Amino acid sequence: MSLFDTLVLDPTFTCSVCGKTHTTLQTHSLGDSFATYRKGSFIRCCPVHYGILREALYCRHEGTDEAPKQEVWLVLWHGIYAGHAPDEESAKAALAKVDRLDLIRWLEAAQSDAQSWQSRYRRLFRDLDDWKDVRDNPPVPPIEGQRAPWNFRQLPDEVWQDADPLSRIIERNALSAEEEKASVRDSWGW
Ligand SMILES: [Zn+2]
């Protein structure tokens, strides 16, 4: 199986035959780097700098083995994926309408996404670092009559005291349903 890229369709694409909603589209036209692009993403290996590109979406209709091809037109603006359109004319119109406000929105989305992943990484790293610290330096029970030593860990006692602390750490750092949806792991365009 050769590599492909995944485009997030925003708005979603509805099959004109069976009504199925498609949230993503696989393409071999944008460099095949196994990347996921959403509106506003810079496409590193994009062969089209500025223009529109005809792509095909295959919808496997419910209850059949048929997967007829339907056209989706991609809009590419200075190497950025700027969305999709159902036909050539509306793709041309969408390309002509891209402006600086779109750029600001895309920039904000990209920075928010990067900040969110950085903070998730830091939280997960801190949890694992705390767990390693507890494993290597098990807490000494407090001596009666003396104040317990200050705990600098963010990891709650019930996590490191659990029989399987790593599973608890994975659970508390798991993506929320909304984050899961945004990360586009759910659908591959069929
Ligand atoms: Zn269909």
PDB file of all heavy atoms in Angstrom, residues 76-95:
ATOM      1  N   LEU A  76      -6.022  25.397  -3.385  1.00  0.00           N
ATOM      2  CA  LEU A  76      -4.651  25.546  -2.864  1.00  0.00           C
ATOM      3  C   LEU A  76      -4.187  26.975  -3.080  1.00  0.00           C
ATOM      4  O   LEU A  76      -4.173  27.478  -4.206  1.00  0.00           O
ATOM      5  CB  LEU A  76      -3.725  24.551  -3.567  1.00  0.00           C
ATOM      6  CG  LEU A  76      -4.140  23.109  -3.269  1.00  0.00           C
ATOM      7  CD1 LEU A  76      -3.799  22.179  -4.405  1.00  0.00           C
ATOM      8  CD2 LEU A  76      -3.519  22.644  -1.970  1.00  0.00           C
ATOM      9  N   TRP A  77      -3.828  27.601  -1.973  1.00  0.00           N
ATOM     10  CA  TRP A  77      -3.495  29.029  -2.006  1.00  0.00           C
ATOM     11  C   TRP A  77      -2.083  29.220  -1.458  1.00  0.00           C
ATOM     12  O   TRP A  77      -1.847  29.055  -0.279  1.00  0.00           O
ATOM     13  CB  TRP A  77      -4.525  29.782  -1.154  1.00  0.00           C
ATOM     14  CG  TRP A  77      -4.469  31.267  -1.215  1.00  0.00           C
ATOM     15  CD1 TRP A  77      -5.040  32.087  -2.134  1.00  0.00           C
ATOM     16  CD2 TRP A  77      -3.808  32.117  -0.270  1.00  0.00           C
ATOM     17  NE1 TRP A  77      -4.773  33.391  -1.841  1.00  0.00           N
ATOM     18  CE2 TRP A  77      -4.020  33.443  -0.698  1.00  0.00           C
ATOM     19  CE3 TRP A  77      -3.056  31.900   0.874  1.00  0.00           C
ATOM     20  CZ2 TRP A  77      -3.519  34.538  -0.015  1.00  0.00           C
ATOM     21  CZ3 TRP A  77      -2.552  32.984   1.561  1.00  0.00           C
ATOM     22  CH2 TRP A  77      -2.784  34.288   1.109  1.00  0.00           C
ATOM     23  N   HIS A  78      -1.137  29.505  -2.326  1.00  0.00           N
ATOM     24  CA  HIS A  78       0.270  29.674  -1.935  1.00  0.00           C
ATOM     25  C   HIS A  78       0.762  28.508  -1.079  1.00  0.00           C
ATOM     26  O   HIS A  78       1.379  28.707  -0.026  1.00  0.00           O
ATOM     27  CB  HIS A  78       0.468  31.012  -1.215  1.00  0.00           C
ATOM     28  CG  HIS A  78       0.147  32.194  -2.092  1.00  0.00           C
ATOM     29  ND1 HIS A  78       1.041  32.700  -3.018  1.00  0.00           N
ATOM     30  CD2 HIS A  78      -0.982  32.914  -2.226  1.00  0.00           C
ATOM     31  CE1 HIS A  78       0.473  33.700  -3.661  1.00  0.00           C
ATOM     32  NE2 HIS A  78      -0.754  33.853  -3.211  1.00  0.00           N
ATOM     33  N   GLY A  79       0.451  27.304  -1.528  1.00  0.00           N
ATOM     34  CA  GLY A  79       0.929  26.106  -0.821  1.00  0.00           C
ATOM     35  C   GLY A  79       0.123  25.743   0.406  1.00  0.00           C
ATOM     36  O   GLY A  79       0.473  24.823   1.132  1.00  0.00           O
ATOM     37  N   ILE A  80      -0.970  26.479   0.651  1.00  0.00           N
ATOM     38  CA  ILE A  80      -1.821  26.192   1.813  1.00  0.00           C
ATOM     39  C   ILE A  80      -3.109  25.544   1.328  1.00  0.00           C
ATOM     40  O   ILE A  80      -3.707  25.985   0.333  1.00  0.00           O
ATOM     41  CB  ILE A  80      -2.159  27.506   2.571  1.00  0.00           C
ATOM     42  CG1 ILE A  80      -0.888  28.082   3.192  1.00  0.00           C
ATOM     43  CG2 ILE A  80      -3.218  27.259   3.642  1.00  0.00           C
ATOM     44  CD1 ILE A  80      -1.075  29.468   3.775  1.00  0.00           C
ATOM     45  N   TYR A  81      -3.541  24.492   2.032  1.00  0.00           N
ATOM     46  CA  TYR A  81      -4.824  23.872   1.712  1.00  0.00           C
ATOM     47  C   TYR A  81      -5.928  24.798   2.215  1.00  0.00           C
ATOM     48  O   TYR A  81      -6.074  25.019   3.419  1.00  0.00           O
ATOM     49  CB  TYR A  81      -4.911  22.484   2.366  1.00  0.00           C
ATOM     50  CG  TYR A  81      -6.282  21.877   2.346  1.00  0.00           C
ATOM     51  CD1 TYR A  81      -6.988  21.743   1.155  1.00  0.00           C
ATOM     52  CD2 TYR A  81      -6.887  21.434   3.512  1.00  0.00           C
ATOM     53  CE1 TYR A  81      -8.260  21.195   1.122  1.00  0.00           C
ATOM     54  CE2 TYR A  81      -8.155  20.871   3.496  1.00  0.00           C
ATOM     55  CZ  TYR A  81      -8.838  20.762   2.303  1.00  0.00           C
ATOM     56  OH  TYR A  81     -10.098  20.221   2.286  1.00  0.00           O
ATOM     57  N   ALA A  82      -6.683  25.370   1.286  1.00  0.00           N
ATOM     58  CA  ALA A  82      -7.667  26.398   1.638  1.00  0.00           C
ATOM     59  C   ALA A  82      -9.098  25.882   1.570  1.00  0.00           C
ATOM     60  O   ALA A  82     -10.041  26.669   1.569  1.00  0.00           O
ATOM     61  CB  ALA A  82      -7.497  27.605   0.717  1.00  0.00           C
ATOM     62  N   GLY A  83      -9.287  24.562   1.515  1.00  0.00           N
ATOM     63  CA  GLY A  83     -10.636  24.013   1.539  1.00  0.00           C
ATOM     64  C   GLY A  83     -10.961  23.240   0.274  1.00  0.00           C
ATOM     65  O   GLY A  83     -10.088  22.973  -0.554  1.00  0.00           O
ATOM     66  N   HIS A  84     -12.236  22.889   0.152  1.00  0.00           N
ATOM     67  CA  HIS A  84     -12.655  22.103  -1.012  1.00  0.00           C
ATOM     68  C   HIS A  84     -13.988  22.636  -1.522  1.00  0.00           C
ATOM     69  O   HIS A  84     -14.670  23.403  -0.825  1.00  0.00           O
ATOM     70  CB  HIS A  84     -12.781  20.623  -0.638  1.00  0.00           C
ATOM     71  CG  HIS A  84     -13.934  20.347   0.299  1.00  0.00           C
ATOM     72  ND1 HIS A  84     -15.175  19.976  -0.150  1.00  0.00           N
ATOM     73  CD2 HIS A  84     -14.022  20.418   1.642  1.00  0.00           C
ATOM     74  CE1 HIS A  84     -15.970  19.819   0.888  1.00  0.00           C
ATOM     75  NE2 HIS A  84     -15.302  20.081   1.984  1.00  0.00           N
ATOM     76  N   ALA A  85     -14.333  22.236  -2.736  1.00  0.00           N
ATOM     77  CA  ALA A  85     -15.590  22.676  -3.347  1.00  0.00           C
ATOM     78  C   ALA A  85     -16.127  21.516  -4.187  1.00  0.00           C
ATOM     79  O   ALA A  85     -15.367  20.641  -4.608  1.00  0.00           O
ATOM     80  CB  ALA A  85     -15.337  23.910  -4.208  1.00  0.00           C
ATOM     81  N   PRO A  86     -17.445  21.518  -4.440  1.00  0.00           N
ATOM     82  CA  PRO A  86     -18.031  20.392  -5.166  1.00  0.00           C
ATOM     83  C   PRO A  86     -17.811  20.451  -6.676  1.00  0.00           C
ATOM     84  O   PRO A  86     -17.982  19.449  -7.371  1.00  0.00           O
ATOM     85  CB  PRO A  86     -19.521  20.499  -4.836  1.00  0.00           C
ATOM     86  CG  PRO A  86     -19.734  21.932  -4.490  1.00  0.00           C
ATOM     87  CD  PRO A  86     -18.457  22.425  -3.909  1.00  0.00           C
ATOM     88  N   ASP A  87     -17.455  21.621  -7.196  1.00  0.00           N
ATOM     89  CA  ASP A  87     -17.275  21.713  -8.646  1.00  0.00           C
ATOM     90  C   ASP A  87     -16.221  22.765  -8.973  1.00  0.00           C
ATOM     91  O   ASP A  87     -15.779  23.529  -8.106  1.00  0.00           O
ATOM     92  CB  ASP A  87     -18.606  22.050  -9.341  1.00  0.00           C
ATOM     93  CG  ASP A  87     -19.217  23.311  -8.766  1.00  0.00           C
ATOM     94  OD1 ASP A  87     -18.635  24.380  -8.965  1.00  0.00           O
ATOM     95  OD2 ASP A  87     -20.265  23.222  -8.084  1.00  0.00           O
ATOM     96  N   GLU A  88     -15.842  22.787 -10.232  1.00  0.00           N
ATOM     97  CA  GLU A  88     -14.741  23.646 -10.672  1.00  0.00           C
ATOM     98  C   GLU A  88     -15.030  25.129 -10.444  1.00  0.00           C
ATOM     99  O   GLU A  88     -14.176  25.866  -9.936  1.00  0.00           O
ATOM    100  CB  GLU A  88     -14.467  23.380 -12.158  1.00  0.00           C
ATOM    101  CG  GLU A  88     -13.303  24.167 -12.692  1.00  0.00           C
ATOM    102  CD  GLU A  88     -13.007  23.830 -14.154  1.00  0.00           C
ATOM    103  OE1 GLU A  88     -13.661  22.921 -14.697  1.00  0.00           O
ATOM    104  OE2 GLU A  88     -12.141  24.485 -14.737  1.00  0.00           O
ATOM    105  N   GLU A  89     -16.227  25.549 -10.796  1.00  0.00           N
ATOM    106  CA  GLU A  89     -16.543  26.971 -10.692  1.00  0.00           C
ATOM    107  C   GLU A  89     -16.519  27.451  -9.245  1.00  0.00           C
ATOM    108  O   GLU A  89     -15.983  28.513  -8.925  1.00  0.00           O
ATOM    109  CB  GLU A  89     -17.919  27.263 -11.335  1.00  0.00           C
ATOM    110  CG  GLU A  89     -17.908  27.213 -12.846  1.00  0.00           C
ATOM    111  CD  GLU A  89     -16.765  28.035 -13.468  1.00  0.00           C
ATOM    112  OE1 GLU A  89     -16.608  29.206 -13.081  1.00  0.00           O
ATOM    113  OE2 GLU A  89     -16.029  27.486 -14.316  1.00  0.00           O
ATOM    114  N   SER A  90     -17.128  26.670  -8.351  1.00  0.00           N
ATOM    115  CA  SER A  90     -17.134  27.113  -6.947  1.00  0.00           C
ATOM    116  C   SER A  90     -15.730  27.021  -6.348  1.00  0.00           C
ATOM    117  O   SER A  90     -15.384  27.787  -5.445  1.00  0.00           O
ATOM    118  CB  SER A  90     -18.162  26.347  -6.110  1.00  0.00           C
ATOM    119  OG  SER A  90     -18.041  24.976  -6.311  1.00  0.00           O
ATOM    120  N   ALA A  91     -14.895  26.107  -6.848  1.00  0.00           N
ATOM    121  CA  ALA A  91     -13.502  26.050  -6.381  1.00  0.00           C
ATOM    122  C   ALA A  91     -12.756  27.310  -6.802  1.00  0.00           C
ATOM    123  O   ALA A  91     -11.988  27.890  -6.023  1.00  0.00           O
ATOM    124  CB  ALA A  91     -12.821  24.806  -6.933  1.00  0.00           C
ATOM    125  N   LYS A  92     -12.980  27.747  -8.050  1.00  0.00           N
ATOM    126  CA  LYS A  92     -12.327  28.984  -8.523  1.00  0.00           C
ATOM    127  C   LYS A  92     -12.779  30.183  -7.683  1.00  0.00           C
ATOM    128  O   LYS A  92     -11.977  31.041  -7.309  1.00  0.00           O
ATOM    129  CB  LYS A  92     -12.696  29.236  -9.990  1.00  0.00           C
ATOM    130  CG  LYS A  92     -11.965  28.359 -10.981  1.00  0.00           C
ATOM    131  CD  LYS A  92     -12.440  28.714 -12.383  1.00  0.00           C
ATOM    132  CE  LYS A  92     -11.901  27.756 -13.431  1.00  0.00           C
ATOM    133  NZ  LYS A  92     -12.578  27.927 -14.726  1.00  0.00           N
ATOM    134  N   ALA A  93     -14.089  30.223  -7.377  1.00  0.00           N
ATOM    135  CA  ALA A  93     -14.617  31.335  -6.580  1.00  0.00           C
ATOM    136  C   ALA A  93     -14.018  31.316  -5.180  1.00  0.00           C
ATOM    137  O   ALA A  93     -13.648  32.367  -4.632  1.00  0.00           O
ATOM    138  CB  ALA A  93     -16.150  31.233  -6.511  1.00  0.00           C
ATOM    139  N   ALA A  94     -13.893  30.111  -4.586  1.00  0.00           N
ATOM    140  CA  ALA A  94     -13.322  30.001  -3.233  1.00  0.00           C
ATOM    141  C   ALA A  94     -11.865  30.453  -3.232  1.00  0.00           C
ATOM    142  O   ALA A  94     -11.408  31.129  -2.304  1.00  0.00           O
ATOM    143  CB  ALA A  94     -13.437  28.559  -2.736  1.00  0.00           C
ATOM    144  N   LEU A  95     -11.137  30.117  -4.297  1.00  0.00           N
ATOM    145  CA  LEU A  95      -9.723  30.514  -4.397  1.00  0.00           C
ATOM    146  C   LEU A  95      -9.604  32.039  -4.456  1.00  0.00           C
ATOM    147  O   LEU A  95      -8.754  32.639  -3.794  1.00  0.00           O
ATOM    148  CB  LEU A  95      -9.093  29.879  -5.640  1.00  0.00           C
ATOM    149  CG  LEU A  95      -7.634  30.215  -5.912  1.00  0.00           C
ATOM    150  CD1 LEU A  95      -6.745  29.718  -4.776  1.00  0.00           C
ATOM    151  CD2 LEU A  95      -7.182  29.598  -7.241  1.00  0.00           C
TER     152      LEU A  95
END
